Amino acid sequence: MCHPDPGKLQIYAVEAMAPLSATCIVRCVGGLVRPGRRFSIGSADEVSGERFHIMLNWIDRYEHRVDYFDPPHSARVHFSGSGAFLLKKGLTIISVDRVVG
């Protein structure tokens, strides 16, 4: 069974940043979010139309790794990929994968 809504995360804070990864505090604002999901981010200049992708590697809630979370919950998460450098407070990102479960 596929979840009808794509996972949507809003970045509350970026805790750590590396060229190809970031650890963030996020709030789930839509759908069901699981590790392994890919998210799409537009270019920083918002003009070129270039899209970057990141993957959600893990979710930590109350110092415990979890398999998923949904609205209106918050979590500490880790992303990897070419778009990690674009993550910033207030940005909302949407999963480009369908959740099966």
Side-chain angles (χ1 to χ4, degrees):
M1 173 176 136
C2 290
H3 196 279
D5 299 320
K8 284 183 175 178
L9 297 175
Q10 183 175 48
I11 309 298
Y12 177 76
V14 177
E15 289 190 330
M17 179 79 68
L20 295 174
S21 66
T23 301
C24 302
I25 303 299
V26 299
R27 176 179 296 272
C28 185
V29 294
L32 181 70
V33 178
R34 295 180 187 262
R37 297 291 133 216
R38 291 181 311 128
F39 292 81
S40 180
I41 303 173
S43 63
D45 66 14
E46 299 180 5
V47 176
S48 69
E50 188 173 8
R51 305 295 297 173
F52 294 88
H53 291 94
I54 55 174
M55 180 176 288
L56 179 61
N57 300 108
W58 50 257
I59 303 167
D60 185 280
R61 296 200 68 231
Y62 304 105
E63 299 182 18
H64 297 287
R65 295 285 165 96
V66 297
D67 294 330
Y68 67 91
F69 76 123
D70 57 4
H73 304 290
S74 297
R76 183 172 179 251
V77 300
H78 185 265
F79 296 104
S80 62
S82 63
F85 73 98
L86 291 167
L87 294 170
K88 62 183 178 182
K89 183 177 180 169
L91 181 69
T92 298
I93 57 176
I94 300 172
S95 173
V96 296
D97 296 326
R98 293 183 61 102
V99 175
V100 177

